Amino acid sequence: MFKSYFITGLRNLLKQKGYSFIKIIGLTFGLTASMIIYLYIAEDLSYDTFHKNYPNIVRLLTIDSAEGVSSKLVGVTQPRLGPAAADELPEVITSVRFTGGGRLDLSYNDKPLKCEASFRVDPTVFEVFDFPIVDGATTGVLDKPGSIAITQTLARKIFGNENPIGKTVKLNQNTDLNVTAVLADVPKNSHLQFDLLYSLVPGQNEDGLRQALDTWQGIFCFTYLLLDKPADVADLNTKLKAISKKNNAYEFFTPVVQPLKDVHLKSKEILFETNANKSDTLNVYVLSIIAILILVLAAVNFMNLVTAKSTARAKEIGMRKVIGAIRTQLILQHLTESILVTGIAALLAIAAVLVAVPLLNNAYHRFADVTLLMHPQSITLLSGLVLIVGIMAGLYPAFVLSSFKPILVLKGSFKNSASGIRLRKALVVLQFTISIALMVGTGIVYQQMRYIYTADLGYSRDQVITLQQNNQNVANATTLKNELLRNPDILSVGTSSARMGQQLGRVNIYPDGVYNAETNIITSIMVTDESFIPTMGIKMMEGRNFSLDYDDSLSMIINEEMARFLKWKDPVGKKVGLQNGAVASELTNYTVVGVVKDFHFATVRHKLEPMFMLYNNNNNALAVKVKAENIQATLTFMEETWKKVNPGTTFEYAFLDEQFANLYRNEQAFASMFTHFTGLAMLIAGLGLFALSAFTAEQRRKEIGIRKVLGASNGTIFYKLSSEFVLLIMISFVFASVIAYFVMNKWLDDFQYSISIGAGIFILAGASSIIIALLTISFQALKAALSNPVDALRSE
C-alpha cells in the first residue's frame, strides 16, 4: 500500500516540476538553516563536556562589594581559598589554581619564538581536568619548579621532529624550563585555552610568588574545585564564606561558586577571568527561536502551496472517491507525499550543510562540527524532524483535500471556497510576520554593532600600532620609544601598563590621603608615560598631563568618573593615598595634577568606572601613532628597531582598530548569523509568495478576462491582484513590529551602552517587505494583466 502511495507521490512531483521545485527548495532552505543553527548551538553546549569530572567541577568567583566598581563579579579569588577548601571540606576532593594566561617569549638553541597562551598552574591540574598526556611522565608532571607541559603543536613549533621530553627551553632568555610532558592539543570547546602549562611550585628565587600564594588579602588566582558530587551551590557558598571569614580575608570579597557547565554561557558579567570565546545563553535562545521560526516558515510555505494547488488535484480526488477510495487512504496518500518531499529536502539540506558549514566557520570564527550530523543521536533527531515537519506540513492539506465531496469537486466548487481563501491569507500573514520580525531584528542588531564600532570611546584608535614587551625588557621601553621616533613617519609613541581594551588592575584608594579601616574603595589603575595621553588623543579636562618638566613620581591623573564618584568639584591638588607594602595603614600619597575626559579603557560591554593614572616612563605596552602613508616601510623600520633594542625576542605588532574589532568578535558573528538567516527567511517567504501569486492569477483568469472586456486597464488589473497581498503584509507588519520590539529590547538590555529603538527601522522593514512582495508578484500580476481576455474566456 505505502509503495503505491510512494510511487504516486513521486509521479505527482515529476508531473508538476516547477511547483515541486518550489515546495522542495523552500523546505530545503528551512531545514538547512535549522541544521546549521543546531550545529552552532551544539557547539556552545559542548564546552568543557570532554572532562570526565565535568558535572563535579566548579570554579570559584569573588563578589567584589567595594565602592568604586560597577562590575562586582570577578573570576579571581584569594590564593589560599582553594587549598583551604580542599583541606577543610569533605566534599572537596582537590583544588587547582591557575595564574597568568598570557603570552611568553621562549627560546631554544638561541631561536626565539612566542608561546601564544600559557598558565602557571598547580600540579593537581591533571587530577581535576582531562588534558591527555601523549608523551612523557604521566604522574608528577608539574611537581618540580620550572617544569612545563606543552601541547603537540607547540612541541613541533619548538623542537620539530626532536623528542621534547627532558629538553630545556629558556623563558625570557634567563629562566630554564624543563619539558616533562607533551599534551594533546586543547580541544576548541574548552574555556581554558593554552599551549603551555608551567608549574606554580615556586623556585628558589621566587620568594615573592611563595608569599603571594599564601595570602588571604589579595585576589589573583583562577581557582577550581573537584567535588565528590554535583555542587549544592548555596551550601558550598556558605561554607566558603565561613572559611574566608575565619582567615581574616577582606569582608568585601565574598567567594561564590559557578558550576563548570555554566562557565561558557553564563559569564557575561564576569571580569578578570580566563574564558576563551565565552558566549551568552540569550544568544542560544535567540538562535533557537530563529531556527524554529524558519522551520515554521518553510512548513507554512509548503501548506500554502499545497492548499493553493488543491483545485488542480480536485478531479483526481473525486475520481478516487468515486471508484471506492476511503478518506483514510486519501489522508495517508497526501501525508506520504508530504513526508517524501520533506525527505528529499532533508537530503539536499544535509548536502548544503556539508558545503556551507566550513565556509561559515571561517566567517563566524566558530568550529561547528558537521560530522555531528552522522552521530546516531543526530540521525534519530533528524529522522524525527523529517517526520514531524512532513506530517505537520501535510496534515491540514491532507484533511482538506480528502474532505472534498466527489460531486461538488468535479464541478470545481472549492475554487472559490471562503475557507480555503481565508486559510491561505492567514498563512501569508504568518509567513510575513516572521520575516518582518526577523528583518527588524537584523536592523537593530546592525545598528547596535555600528554604534559599538563608531561610538566615541574617548580616544583615537586610528593609525595606532601596538607593541608588547615582556617584563624583562620593560627597562628598554624608553630606548625603544626614542629609536622609533627617529622615523618621520612615526608621529608619537606612548607607553602604558596595559593597552586599550585590556582590563586594568584594581587597587584600594584612600581619598584625601587619610587611612580609614572602614573605607573600601577600589578603582582601576593604569601606569603611563608623558606621551600616552596625547598619542591616544585623550582630552585633558582640567590641570595638566604628566611632563618631563616636573617630578611626577607622586603625581596622579584621574578620569571624570572618579571625580564624580568622590564628589570633587575641584579635584586638581587633591590627595589620594595608596597602600604601601603589607601594612594596610601605611600609605603613599599622590597629588592629582589633572583630569582626563572619560574614555572606555575596557569594552563598552561594561559601564565606565573610576580610574586613575600614575607616571612611569618604562611600561610594557607601546602605542605607536603612524602616518597613513608608507605603512609597510614603517613596519619594516619598527621590526629592525625592535630587534636592535630587544635582541633574541620576536617582533609582533597589531593595529589597535583590529584589536578593538576582535573584542567584539562574538557579537559580530552573532550579527552575521542573524543577517544570513533573516535573508534565508525572506527568500523562503518570497518563493511561497511567487508561487501563490501565480496560482491566484490562474484561478482568477476568467475574472480578469471579463474585467478587461468591460474596459479595465492593465494598471487596474495589476492593482487588483497585488493590493490584497499588500494588505496582508501590512497586517503582518503590525504583528511583527510588536513582537520584534519586545524581543530586541530584551537583547539590548545585555549592553551597558545601547541604541534606542526608533520608528525608522520598523518603517524601513515594512517598506522593504512591501517592495520585495511587489517585485515577487509583479511578474505574475503583469502577465495576467497583459494576457488576451479572449484566451481566458475561450478556455471556459
Side-chain angles (χ1 to χ4, degrees):
M1 180 174 68
F2 284 103
K3 180 180 178 181
S4 172
Y5 294 157
F6 178 81
I7 293 172
T8 302
L10 198 58
R11 285 174 179 168
N12 283 325
L13 289 178
L14 296 174
K15 182 179 178 181
Q16 303 173 35
K17 294 182 179 64
Y19 164 70
S20 300
F21 172 80
I22 293 176
K23 283 197 302 182
I24 291 172
I25 204 67
L27 281 174
T28 299
F29 287 154
L31 290 169
T32 300
S34 300
M35 288 183 200
I36 291 173
I37 292 174
Y38 164 73
L39 291 176
Y40 285 122
I41 291 174
E43 173 199 318
D44 274 329
L45 297 179
S46 73
Y47 266 75
D48 299 309
T49 54
F50 61 90
H51 299 296
K52 69 175 183 292
N53 294 318
Y54 170 73
N56 300 345
I57 299 174
V58 297
R59 76 166 174 174
L60 302 187
L61 307 173
T62 301
I63 299 174
D64 183 351
S65 55
E67 298 179 67
V69 292
S70 59
S71 301
K72 300 293 187 182
L73 197 58
V74 295
V76 287
T77 63
Q78 296 103 335
R80 283 294 305 152
L81 183 60
D87 291 339
E88 299 180 31
L89 301 180
E91 63 266 43
V92 179
I93 297 173
T94 189
S95 70
V96 60
R97 297 168 297 181
F98 292 75
T99 67
R103 307 166 79 192
L104 297 179
D105 278 308
L106 304 177
S107 60
Y108 176 67
N109 290 340
D110 296 324
K111 175 187 175 184
L113 54 92
K114 283 278 188 187
C115 168
E116 296 299 325
S118 66
F119 291 106
R120 293 201 71 166
V121 63
D122 284 327
T124 52
V125 61
F126 299 109
E127 298 174 34
V128 178
F129 296 105
D130 290 299
F131 297 118
I133 298 171
V134 297
D135 195 8
T138 56
T139 59
V141 175
L142 299 176
D143 285 351
K144 296 180 181 179
S147 56
I148 60 172
I150 60 177
T151 62
Q152 289 175 300
T153 296
L154 184 60
R156 286 191 294 270
K157 184 177 178 181
I158 299 174
F159 302 104
N161 295 324
E162 294 182 45
N163 181 2
I165 304 302
K167 295 285 196 309
T168 298
V169 298
K170 284 195 176 294
L171 170 63
N172 299 328
Q173 299 180 297
N174 59 12
T175 302
D176 288 342
L177 302 179
N178 181 46
V179 180
T180 57
V182 176
L183 310 177
D185 287 343
V186 179
K188 292 181 180 178
N189 60 339
S190 170
H191 83 279
L192 293 167
Q193 290 292 324
F194 58 85
D195 299 308
L196 181 151
L197 295 178
Y198 176 11
S199 175
L200 193 54
V201 178
Q204 290 182 348
N205 300 320
E206 293 185 307
D207 290 338
L209 174 62
R210 187 175 289 104
Q211 292 175 6
L213 291 176
D214 202 39
T215 185
W216 284 93
Q217 305 311 313
I219 54 174
F220 69 89
C221 286
F222 311 118
T223 306
Y224 298 80
L225 303 180
L226 174 61
L227 310 178
D228 57 3
K229 60 183 178 182
D232 180 339
V233 171
D235 180 60
L236 194 53
N237 284 345
T238 301
K239 292 177 179 178
L240 290 171
K241 186 175 180 180
I243 291 174
S244 182
K245 184 176 181 180
K246 182 177 71 174
N247 289 278
N248 298 316
Y250 289 133
E251 291 184 1
F252 50 84
F253 288 154
T254 304
V256 293
V257 301
Q258 180 186 42
L260 185 61
K261 65 182 178 63
D262 293 339
V263 170
H264 177 62
L265 290 174
K266 297 181 180 180
S267 300
K268 65 182 180 182
E269 299 297 335
I270 300 173
L271 297 181
F272 302 107
E273 63 164 346
T274 176
N275 193 351
N277 302 316
K278 69 177 176 181
S279 187
D280 185 4
T281 305
L282 182 61
N283 288 353
V284 172
Y285 288 149
V286 170
L287 287 176
S288 300
I289 291 170
I290 290 174
I292 293 170
L293 290 178
I294 290 178
L295 207 54
V296 168
L297 195 64
V300 165
N301 192 52
F302 179 87
M303 291 172 62
N304 216 346
L305 294 176
V306 171
T307 54
K309 194 68 173 175
S310 58
T311 53
R313 300 192 62 182
K315 291 184 179 180
E316 172 201 336
I317 294 165
M319 290 300 298
R320 283 177 178 273
K321 283 196 168 186
V322 167
I323 62 177
I326 61 176
R327 189 178 185 189
T328 302
Q329 291 174 322
L330 293 173
I331 290 173
L332 289 174
Q333 169 68 56
H334 291 296
L335 286 179
T336 301
E337 291 182 19
S338 177
I339 293 170
L340 173 63
V341 170
T342 308
I344 294 171
L347 293 175
L348 293 174
I350 291 172
V353 169
L354 292 174
V355 173
V357 166
L359 300 176
L360 294 176
N361 280 345
N362 290 331
Y364 301 154
H365 302 285
R366 300 286 295 262
F367 52 89
D369 183 8
V370 292
T371 62
L372 182 63
L373 293 178
M374 302 298 110
H375 292 185
Q377 182 180 358
S378 297
I379 292 173
T380 303
L381 184 65
L382 183 59
S383 301
L385 183 65
V386 168
L387 285 174
I388 292 170
V389 172
I391 292 172
M392 293 301 293
L395 197 60
Y396 182 81
F399 275 95
V400 169
L401 294 173
S402 64
S403 66
F404 293 172
K405 291 180 172 56
I407 295 176
L408 296 177
V409 161
L410 294 176
K411 293 180 179 180
S413 64
F414 186 73
K415 182 180 296 184
N416 298 313
S417 166
S419 61
I421 293 171
R422 283 196 300 270
L423 169 67
R424 289 192 291 279
K425 287 182 177 180
L427 293 178
V428 168
V429 169
L430 178 58
Q431 278 186 308
F432 275 89
T433 296
I434 293 171
S435 301
I436 295 171
L438 290 175
M439 286 177 68
V440 172
T442 298
I444 292 172
V445 169
Y446 170 78
Q447 287 182 340
Q448 176 62 19
M449 295 309 300
R450 186 173 179 273
Y451 170 78
I452 288 174
Y453 287 128
T454 60
D456 181 9
L457 302 175
Y459 66 89
S460 171
R461 59 182 184 268
D462 296 330
Q463 302 305 128
V464 175
I465 299 171
T466 63
L467 307 176
Q468 188 79 30
Q469 295 195 121
N470 59 42
N471 291 331
Q472 277 62 37
N473 290 327
V474 68
N476 299 333
T478 301
T479 303
L480 179 60
K481 170 183 170 179
N482 292 334
E483 289 293 319
L484 290 173
L485 287 171
R486 293 171 56 192
N487 189 320
D489 289 325
I490 294 178
L491 301 176
S492 63
V493 180
T495 71
S496 59
S497 54
R499 66 168 173 78
M500 290 296 191
Q502 289 180 321
Q503 187 62 48
L504 303 182
R506 290 173 172 176
V507 296
N508 286 81
I509 66 167
Y510 298 90
D512 302 314
V514 179
Y515 174 74
N516 184 348
E518 303 300 319
T519 300
N520 293 318
I521 301 176
I522 290 182
T523 61
S524 296
I525 175 175
M526 184 182 237
V527 181
T528 74
D529 68 0
E530 72 284 350
S531 302
F532 179 78
I533 288 176
T535 296
M536 297 307 303
I538 299 170
K539 186 177 180 181
M540 294 296 305
M541 304 302 292
E542 294 183 48
R544 65 172 178 86
N545 182 22
F546 297 130
S547 171
L548 295 177
D549 296 332
Y550 297 88
D551 178 5
D552 280 324
S553 58
L554 292 178
S555 297
M556 176 183 288
I557 294 175
I558 66 174
N559 69 347
E560 294 174 298
E561 183 61 27
M562 184 164 169
R564 282 191 293 268
F565 174 73
L566 296 176
K567 299 179 181 178
W568 285 347
K569 292 183 178 180
D570 298 304
V572 175
K574 296 285 189 180
K575 301 288 186 181
V576 176
L578 302 182
Q579 288 181 349
N580 179 20
V583 180
S585 59
E586 292 184 3
L587 304 180
T588 299
N589 287 330
Y590 291 81
T591 302
V592 176
V593 298
V595 180
V596 293
K597 181 179 175 63
D598 286 332
F599 63 95
H600 290 273
F601 50 85
T603 71
V604 295
R605 294 190 193 96
H606 303 289
K607 189 177 179 181
L608 273 169
E609 294 182 352
M611 65 85 63
F612 65 87
M613 300 176 183
L614 299 182
Y615 177 75
N616 194 315
N617 58 4
N618 283 318
N619 300 296
N620 298 67
L622 281 78
V624 184
K625 186 82 170 181
V626 300
K627 292 181 180 178
E629 303 83 16
N630 305 319
I631 288 289
Q632 194 55 52
T634 303
L635 288 172
T636 301
F637 171 79
M638 290 172 63
E639 182 175 7
E640 293 171 351
T641 304
W642 174 279
K643 290 179 178 178
K644 182 171 65 174
V645 176
N646 296 317
T649 60
T650 55
F651 171 75
E652 293 184 335
Y653 69 92
F655 285 93
L656 186 58
D657 55 352
E658 294 177 357
Q659 289 178 322
F660 176 83
N662 284 335
L663 293 174
Y664 302 96
R665 192 172 65 182
N666 287 339
E667 286 87 347
Q668 186 58 55
F670 176 76
S672 297
M673 287 184 187
F674 208 121
T675 303
H676 294 159
F677 293 125
T678 297
L680 202 56
M682 288 303 300
L683 183 58
I684 294 170
L687 281 171
L689 192 61
F690 178 82
L692 194 58
S693 62
F695 298 141
T696 300
E698 181 64 27
Q699 285 185 337
R700 299 178 67 176
R701 190 179 179 198
K702 180 180 178 181
E703 175 196 338
I704 292 168
I706 293 173
R707 286 180 180 275
K708 294 195 72 172
V709 168
L710 295 175
S713 66
N714 291 338
T716 302
I717 300 298
F718 178 83
Y719 171 79
K720 189 70 177 174
L721 288 175
S722 59
S723 60
E724 58 185 66
F725 286 110
V726 172
L727 178 62
L728 295 178
I729 292 169
M730 292 177 69
I731 295 171
S732 301
F733 170 73
V734 174
F735 291 135
S737 297
V738 174
I739 295 168
Y741 179 82
F742 285 105
V743 172
M744 296 313 297
N745 249 333
K746 177 66 175 175
W747 182 74
L748 288 173
D749 285 344
D750 269 5
F751 296 87
Q752 286 287 346
Y753 302 92
S754 61
I755 61 168
S756 297
I757 300 178
I761 188 63
F762 294 94
I763 295 171
L764 180 62
S768 298
S769 61
I770 290 174
I771 292 170
I772 291 170
L774 288 174
L775 291 174
T776 302
I777 64 179
S778 60
F779 174 77
Q780 298 297 341
L782 288 172
K783 181 180 176 182
L786 296 173
S787 63
N788 189 338
V790 175
D791 295 334
L793 296 175
R794 182 186 298 149
S795 68
E796 294 292 324

